[in-house]
Amino acid sequence: MTTTIALITGANKGIGLATARQLGARGMTVLVGARDAARGREAADKLRAEGVDARFVPLEVTDAASIAAAAELVEREYSHLDVLVNNAGIVRADGAGLPSQTTLDTLREVYETNVFGVVAVTNALLPLLRRAPAARIVNVSSEVGSIAVMTDPQGALFALTSVPYPSSKTALNMITAMYAKELRDTPIKVNAANPGYCATDLNHHSGFRTPEEGAEVSVHLATLPADAPSGLLWGYQMDAGGGYGVLPW
Ligand SMILES: NC(=O)c1ccc[n+]([C@@H]2O[C@H](COP(=O)([O-])OP(=O)(O)OC[C@H]3O[C@@H](n4cnc5c(N)ncnc54)[C@H](OP(=O)(O)O)[C@@H]3O)[C@@H](O)[C@H]2O)c1
């Protein structure tokens, strides 16, 4: 039997850790991507104690050398990759979160991780994903990246005005759609996940969903069958009263 290999970036805590746990429970070997060795090892140890075949992989998504080393490790040890979950992400805002208060330093910092990091990691691992029988790429995005959701005057998110994080996820949505187009004649599916508002360090635990519930979305997209769609933003639908489905771009 061939082992299914999944790499999750930012998997030492929050939704990423829960995603690693759930993919591991499905029998996958999970590579716990983390930028901090102590935090990454601790997370992998915890998962192994729970019976998951987990291994820490050093991965700072803004660092080209770190990405190259992670790709080399996967190639050397496993020779292919079945699932890539681009989960690592950060939130930053200036002042009261108004566009007019946005600094380029903050914008660059957020884009380095949430946008450039995803492209760099995906491109480094794509040759290994192509070697898998039917790889899945999951880009962990957000409903705040949906222009349709954010500009709906009746929607719950209409009051939000911050530029760096929402626009980084809008860029990620487009990136997802473009990779899906490039890979449409392959068995690889590329989708963007909306975990919903989950209580994690990212939002000082203010979310109303659990990280485990958020991870369900990434796991669903990471395990799509052959006849499932590619190039969608899929997940928790707050404005539709909860439940899962396709969100508008
Ligand atoms: N929580 C929500 O409500 C929510 C909603 C929609 C989308 N999301 C998305 O879900 C994903 C996970 O977020 P979360 O809520 O689980 O947040 P979290 O608990 O803060 O976890 C973020 C993870 O990303 C890692 N990370 C950040 N920058 C990194 C970098 N440059 N290189 C490698 N790893 C990096 C963090 O590592 P360290 O521990 O070393 O900082 C951590 O493991 C993010 O993409 C976020 O935008 C979250």
Side-chain angles (χ1 to χ4, degrees):
M1 201 178 76
T2 330
T3 312
T4 305
I5 313 294
L7 171 62
I8 304 102
T9 68
N12 54 285
K13 66 178 182 181
I15 296 168
L17 175 60
T19 302
R21 178 179 287 120
Q22 290 177 28
L23 291 176
R26 287 170 172 249
M28 294 189 193
T29 293
V30 292
L31 306 180
V32 176
R35 59 178 163 178
D36 180 272
R39 292 196 286 270
R41 282 206 189 91
E42 193 186 336
D45 287 348
K46 196 190 298 179
L47 291 173
R48 272 199 304 279
E50 296 171 15
V52 170
D53 184 18
R55 172 181 183 163
F56 161 57
V57 171
L59 184 47
E60 159 62 67
V61 305
T62 65
D63 183 285
S66 172
I67 295 170
E72 277 163 30
L73 184 153
V74 178
E75 166 141 45
R76 191 174 62 243
E77 303 281 332
Y78 307 100
S79 74
H80 77 286
L81 184 64
D82 298 277
V83 170
L84 171 63
V85 184
N86 285 308
N87 168 83
I90 59 169
V91 171
R92 301 282 184 274
D94 297 299
L98 294 170
S100 55
Q101 297 171 324
T102 305
T103 66
L104 293 189
D105 282 348
T106 301
L107 202 56
R108 282 195 191 99
E109 186 186 358
V110 171
Y111 274 55
E112 283 289 347
T113 298
N114 296 8
V115 181
F116 307 154
V118 174
V119 173
V121 169
T122 303
N123 286 349
L125 290 163
L126 201 48
L128 300 175
L129 290 158
R130 286 183 187 276
R131 284 192 208 155
R136 302 287 178 257
I137 301 172
V138 181
N139 293 331
V140 183
S141 184
S142 170
E143 61 217 330
V144 305
S146 163
I147 295 175
V149 169
M150 290 287 273
T151 56
D152 175 2
Q154 311 306 325
L157 301 177
F158 190 68
L160 292 184
T161 53
S162 181
V163 165
Y165 181 76
S167 69
S168 75
K169 295 300 189 182
T170 308
L172 182 58
N173 290 346
M174 179 62 87
I175 287 164
T176 303
M178 295 304 106
Y179 274 96
K181 261 207 282 187
E182 179 181 353
L183 296 167
R184 66 186 178 282
D185 295 327
T186 77
I188 302 176
K189 296 188 192 302
V190 192
N191 287 291
N194 177 36
Y197 192 31
C198 304
T200 66
D201 288 351
L202 190 89
N203 50 35
H204 311 290
H205 296 263
S206 59
F208 55 80
R209 281 164 57 77
T210 65
E212 289 71 26
E213 288 171 327
E216 284 173 4
V217 176
S218 294
V219 169
H220 173 83
L221 295 174
T223 56
L224 287 174
D227 59 353
S230 182
L232 296 176
L233 172 60
W234 189 94
Y236 186 73
Q237 297 176 309
M238 186 160 57
D239 282 345
Y244 293 133
V246 178
L247 285 95
W249 293 122

